[in-house]
Amino acid sequence: MIGHMPLPLPSPPADQGYSTSPAAVMRCTLWLGGRCSLDFHFTVHCSRGGGLRWQRLLPVPNVMGILGRRPVDCMVGPWGPWSKCSSLCGVGSKDRTRQVTVPPRNGGTPCPDLKQRRGCFGDSPVCDTAKEVAKILPDSYKRDFKDPWRRPHMLMKEKQPSYCVYFRLKQVGAACRLHFWSSHLLRERRVCVECQGDAVGSRSRCEGDGLQGARTFWTAASIAGCQGSWVQESLQETCMCPPLSLLFV
């Protein structure tokens, strides 16, 4: 919608390149929508031939620049793939994201959520290891066993070097306090458990040696009710635990 009305403004000075002949000074208002409008002035000069000559009196603002300030809504791309489950074994979560392709401007609609999360259940093949319960004894049970019949499968175990697993105790049953060696099993204590060749199982590891960073379970082989949980912190091949440590059985 455009309106105009004469204004009682003086003619422009001649020394700025404008004509000083009689002229009607007009103002036009360009409505841009809502409460926005654009005012500019111009002069209309009459020529002797009856024609009209238009001459700008005041600079006209950059109409396209103002119109270019219209709101721009945010636009986003498609969702990316879901990440892997955060837990190898048991309850975890997975995420997916999307990117902004056009950011919002001039009060446009803001961007929607760029990240989604949902639950998942890890079921990695190594989860069977996490389900195992370690059976332990104090290292006073350590023995240098030699098979008198020299059976091949026992000879292989004799030649297999020991390895050490370091755990952080998280839960310790009350029954552990009733025996001397198990009374040293305390919450948050770091313990070394040695896997000797004669305790190696079918997968060439000691049962219950756990997964790094995962909580698994243990039980004292010689004490009823002495049991708990721990978290594996590290594993060291070809290793022997220091004195007063534990053994896998």
Side-chain angles (χ1 to χ4, degrees):
M1 174 180 172
I2 297 179
H4 61 84
M5 60 179 294
L7 291 179
L9 296 177
S11 299
D15 58 357
Q16 294 185 13
Y18 293 94
S19 173
T20 58
S21 59
V25 179
M26 309 293 292
R27 183 180 70 185
C28 283
T29 301
L30 175 63
W31 293 97
L32 304 179
R35 298 181 179 179
C36 299
S37 64
L38 176 66
D39 291 346
F40 56 94
H41 302 89
F42 60 92
T43 56
V44 180
H45 296 272
C46 298
S47 66
R48 292 182 179 179
L52 295 177
R53 183 164 58 86
W54 297 70
Q55 186 175 31
R56 188 175 64 190
L57 175 63
L58 298 178
V60 179
N62 186 350
V63 178
M64 295 305 296
I66 294 178
L67 293 178
R69 295 175 188 170
R70 69 185 187 282
V72 176
D73 297 337
C74 177
M75 297 184 66
V76 296
W79 287 106
W82 288 101
S83 65
K84 294 182 179 180
C85 191
S86 60
S87 174
L88 287 176
C89 307
V91 178
S93 62
K94 55 175 59 179
D95 305 315
R96 68 174 181 175
T97 59
R98 56 183 174 180
Q99 303 297 321
V100 175
T101 56
V102 178
R105 295 191 300 272
N106 305 327
T109 304
C111 295
D113 291 339
L114 301 177
K115 185 175 183 179
Q116 286 184 338
R117 175 172 293 177
R118 69 181 184 186
C120 59
F121 192 86
D123 193 19
S124 170
V126 299
C127 293
D128 291 338
T129 301
K131 296 174 184 177
E132 295 174 348
V133 178
K135 295 178 182 179
I136 59 174
L137 284 173
D139 63 356
S140 58
Y141 282 79
K142 190 178 296 185
R143 55 197 171 93
D144 186 14
F145 177 80
K146 298 293 183 183
D147 182 30
W149 296 278
R150 313 302 293 166
R151 289 170 291 182
H153 70 283
M154 294 302 295
L155 288 174
M156 288 183 64
K157 287 189 174 184
E158 290 174 14
K159 294 179 181 178
Q160 184 169 340
S162 299
Y163 67 89
C164 305
V165 188
Y166 289 89
F167 293 95
R168 183 74 60 181
L169 292 167
K170 294 299 181 182
Q171 290 177 313
V172 179
C176 298
R177 305 194 197 102
L178 304 178
H179 294 263
F180 175 74
W181 74 267
S182 59
S183 64
H184 298 285
L185 301 176
L186 304 173
R187 285 187 61 187
E188 296 303 325
R189 183 175 181 181
R190 192 170 188 254
V191 296
C192 180
V193 188
E194 185 177 329
C195 177
Q196 296 181 328
D198 59 344
V200 170
S202 59
R203 58 187 184 88
S204 300
R205 312 294 289 181
C206 279
E207 185 174 352
D209 60 358
L211 294 170
Q212 186 168 3
R215 182 185 290 243
T216 53
F217 300 92
W218 58 269
T219 183
S222 61
I223 305 173
C226 179
Q227 58 193 11
S229 64
W230 53 20
V231 174
Q232 188 202 103
E233 292 188 342
S234 63
L235 186 149
Q236 185 176 345
E237 300 286 355
T238 314
C239 166
M240 296 180 65
C241 287
L244 303 179
S245 296
L246 304 170
L247 297 174
F248 288 107
V249 294

